[in-house]
Amino acid sequence: MSQENGTLIKVEDLQVTFTEPGRTVHAITGLSTEIKQGEVVVVIGPSGCGKSTFLRTLNMLETPTAGRIFFEGQDLTSEECDVNVHRQKIGMVFQHFNLFPNMNVKKNMTLAPVQLKKKTQAEADERAMELLRRVGLDDRAGAFPQQLSGGQKQRVAIVRALMMEPDVMLFDEPTSALDPEMVGEVLDVMKELAKGGMTMVVVTHEMGFAREVADRVIFMSEGNIMEEGTPQEIFEHPKCDRLKDFLSKVL
Amino acid sequence: MQEWFAEIAADFTQSFIDSDRWKALLSGLGVTLLITVLALLIGVVLGVLVAVVRSSYDQKKKKGGLLGVLNTLCYIYITVIRGTPMMVQLLIMYFVIMVSSTNTMLVATLSFGINSGAYLAEIIRGGIMAVDKGQSEAGRSLGLSYVQTMRFIVIPQAVKTILPALGNELIALLKETSIVNVIGMKDITKWAINVQGRTYQAFMPFIGIAAIYLVIVIVLTKLVSLMERRLANDVTRKRDSH
């Protein structure tokens, strides 16, 4: 794995609070961390621990209540920052794929790069076919999302994000909505990406994937990082009780 | 029996053929359709703008600011327009607001457009809210702006959902134009009133225009369902999970 030491994302004392009728939810409580170029970080933890919120805050889909997020040195939380520009370099893959049902696969992929003037339609088409070939879906370029299986949809969602040539890819439980037999094909694409040196932050319940691919595993609980380390440290020698308890349930 | 047919034929000739009345009817039909089409265009533009303001305000966490002011204006607009009769709005527009204008077509299209916009705004807002939130998140995560996400991703999907309601609104709009004679416009309803005044025949002119309205509505309904079927081929508004 190519491991440069530049810091890509820096999170400082991040807090996210939701106000629901009748109560306040502290989803993230003062989290700080750094993500380095080329690093594959896997975030694990029990449901409701804030791991998805953490991931979504990295490209400002959730607005932090306090704290700062630096992406390539730019403070995303500052008023003057044009988040749209930075989001172009932060790819995101969702649990429910979120492909655009009113467009075919190719259009799904080329819409953003063409509209944002990163590529001409012809260049984008060519790049789309190249990426589809890489994930074995070049024959489905003209299909609409509802004609694809879950695994195919997620592979398209991944290459759609790659079309913007992002510097980091965020994965929000990318295999949780899939039938079990389709999990492998999506994880394979993600492993390929990791091998290619892509910086990745992955929220997942796939412990096998975490063990095999992660450079660092973050265990979150109650809105903060409880423990982090290499997969070996986390899975073989867990220190805190919560992590031991969590692992005993999922492994 | 034959006598009866002869009488009908005579009535028909008197109402539609004599004094070239069919020409006046055709120009009346032009007026009716033109008001409908222009008002629909104004209504759709207004409706989309108001719906976008209202639904983005609803989604915003921090209330207030410019968007808050716009949202309040939109709310007042919808409340006032939906809360007063169309005919009263038309009279106010003609005799109060645009009193210096003699262009009744302008007055009528504006009035009907503004009226239609208020209803369309709520229909479109409903459509926008029915689109899965993940859709706009996916658009924004690719770096598309709010407006681009609305334009290419959310609104096309919303249109499919609201097409039947849009058809309803179009039909209602067409029929409501029959009141424009209160500001002196010669639409097909005015034509029928005139013919009745001249010939003392009520049956032919009124049943005649009723048939015309009905035929237009049937054609519009067909067109809307054709569009629905076309959109159904490539759009589903279901959340695209398994």
Side-chain angles (χ1 to χ4, degrees):
Chain A
M1 234 152 283
S2 69
Q3 190 79 278
E4 300 164 39
N5 276 331
T7 300
L8 195 62
I9 301 176
K10 190 172 178 206
V11 181
E12 278 180 6
D13 195 27
L14 179 71
Q15 294 182 34
V16 182
T17 309
F18 300 114
T19 28
E20 286 171 9
R23 68 189 193 128
T24 311
V25 182
H26 298 281
I28 306 284
T29 54
L31 187 154
S32 301
T33 190
E34 271 182 35
I35 289 152
K36 293 189 171 30
Q37 199 112 43
E39 198 179 17
V40 177
V41 177
V42 172
V43 184
I44 60 172
S47 73
C49 69
K51 54 192 191 304
S52 276
T53 307
F54 165 61
L55 193 77
R56 289 160 55 82
T57 318
L58 292 181
N59 70 352
M60 299 294 284
L61 281 183
E62 302 291 352
T63 318
T65 318
R68 299 204 285 177
I69 296 165
F70 294 93
F71 174 69
E72 297 179 339
Q74 291 279 327
D75 183 1
L76 297 184
T77 58
S78 83
E79 287 282 318
E80 306 94 71
C81 172
D82 183 2
V83 176
N84 291 337
V85 175
H86 298 289
R87 279 184 180 144
Q88 295 181 22
K89 291 185 244 155
I90 308 176
M92 177 132 189
V93 176
F94 299 86
Q95 180 177 0
H96 293 287
F97 329 126
N98 296 347
L99 294 181
F100 310 132
N102 53 330
M103 302 168 202
N104 65 23
V105 166
K106 203 187 200 174
K107 192 79 217 273
N108 259 279
M109 296 172 67
T110 60
L111 176 74
V114 172
Q115 285 305 324
L116 296 167
K117 311 226 173 352
K118 287 202 80 166
K119 291 184 172 71
T120 65
Q121 186 68 49
E123 285 165 3
D125 283 346
E126 197 181 320
R127 178 77 180 138
M129 290 314 293
E130 198 181 305
L131 285 170
L132 284 173
R133 240 185 319 270
R134 251 171 60 188
V135 296
L137 286 171
D138 44 329
D139 54 332
R140 307 310 310 269
F144 281 88
Q146 71 261 33
Q147 297 167 304
L148 304 178
S149 73
Q152 291 175 328
K153 281 182 201 171
Q154 198 60 299
R155 282 185 278 162
V156 171
I158 293 170
V159 289
R160 178 177 71 178
L162 289 177
M163 284 295 288
M164 295 301 294
E165 283 155 18
D167 295 337
V168 59
M169 287 282 281
L170 310 177
F171 293 84
D172 188 4
E173 303 198 27
T175 57
S176 298
L178 296 176
D179 291 337
E181 78 269 23
M182 292 172 182
V183 169
E185 62 191 66
V186 171
L187 291 181
D188 285 345
V189 172
M190 291 168 63
K191 283 175 200 165
E192 281 296 309
L193 260 183
K195 264 186 213 147
M198 175 63 78
T199 311
M200 292 163 65
V201 184
V202 186
V203 169
T204 187
H205 296 292
E206 295 294 330
M207 297 303 149
F209 176 83
R211 246 178 234 236
E212 190 181 336
V213 185
D215 297 313
R216 177 158 56 114
V217 178
I218 291 178
F219 172 68
M220 281 183 70
S221 178
E222 291 172 6
N224 216 327
I225 298 176
M226 293 293 284
E227 193 166 336
E228 60 183 313
T230 63
Q232 214 186 353
E233 287 165 354
I234 292 288
F235 294 112
E236 313 301 335
H237 312 289
K239 288 185 212 96
C240 73
D241 290 340
R242 279 228 188 87
L243 176 55
K244 285 178 194 158
D245 181 50
F246 175 73
L247 290 175
S248 74
K249 281 175 190 152
V250 295
L251 289 180
Chain B
M1 194 64 178
Q2 215 161 11
E3 226 169 79
W4 187 74
F5 272 119
E7 209 173 299
I8 294 273
D11 281 1
F12 184 86
T13 316
Q14 194 183 20
S15 299
F16 291 94
I17 314 288
D18 289 356
S19 330
D20 279 347
R21 292 212 168 94
W22 58 275
K23 280 187 184 160
L25 177 61
L26 276 186
S27 94
L29 186 60
V31 170
T32 297
L33 292 177
L34 191 61
I35 298 173
T36 309
V37 170
L38 293 179
L40 183 73
L41 292 179
I42 297 172
V44 166
V45 172
L46 272 177
V48 169
L49 289 177
V50 172
V52 166
V53 168
R54 298 256 292 147
S55 55
S56 52
Y57 181 78
D58 285 347
Q59 281 162 20
K60 229 180 112 173
K61 286 192 188 105
K62 279 185 229 148
K63 306 288 180 191
L66 177 67
L67 196 59
V69 175
L70 282 176
N71 181 61
T72 309
L73 284 178
C74 292
Y75 181 73
I76 293 171
Y77 161 64
I78 291 172
T79 309
V80 170
I81 295 298
R82 292 201 307 184
T84 53
M86 180 64 235
M87 195 194 276
V88 175
Q89 289 167 24
L90 187 61
L91 291 170
I92 290 174
M93 187 64 100
Y94 187 61
F95 290 111
V96 181
I97 297 171
M98 295 182 69
V99 67
S100 56
S101 171
T102 50
N103 187 342
T104 49
M105 180 55 87
L106 181 69
V107 173
T109 49
L110 274 180
S111 303
F112 280 98
I114 290 169
N115 180 274
S116 200
Y119 288 91
L120 288 171
E122 290 297 271
I123 295 174
I124 295 167
R125 187 167 73 99
I128 289 174
M129 290 194 311
V131 176
D132 181 30
K133 203 167 146 249
Q135 289 291 313
S136 56
E137 284 183 353
R140 299 307 301 277
S141 79
L142 289 164
L144 295 171
S145 69
Y146 177 78
V147 173
Q148 286 171 321
T149 305
M150 273 289 164
R151 177 169 157 214
F152 296 107
I153 298 161
V154 177
I155 294 194
Q157 292 180 57
V159 165
K160 199 229 157 194
T161 320
I162 62 177
L163 209 55
L166 284 183
N168 253 348
E169 180 52 30
L170 175 58
I171 288 168
L173 177 61
L174 170 85
K175 291 185 299 181
E176 243 177 337
T177 61
S178 64
I179 61 170
V180 290
N181 64 76
V182 299
I183 62 166
M185 292 189 79
K186 296 191 173 78
D187 71 327
I188 58 173
T189 302
K190 181 64 178 169
W191 171 87
I193 294 169
N194 282 345
V195 171
Q196 189 216 6
R198 293 279 171 77
T199 63
Y200 302 106
Q201 293 285 347
F203 182 85
M204 267 302 159
F206 289 126
I207 297 294
I209 60 161
I212 291 173
Y213 281 116
L214 184 61
V215 168
I216 301 173
V217 167
I218 290 171
V219 171
L220 287 178
T221 311
K222 271 268 177 277
L223 283 178
V224 170
S225 67
L226 263 178
M227 268 176 79
E228 256 177 76
R229 225 169 305 154
R230 261 203 51 194
L231 285 176
N233 288 337
D234 51 47
V235 183
T236 38
R237 84 192 145 84
K238 279 187 218 124
R239 184 185 193 135
D240 67 352
S241 61
H242 54 153

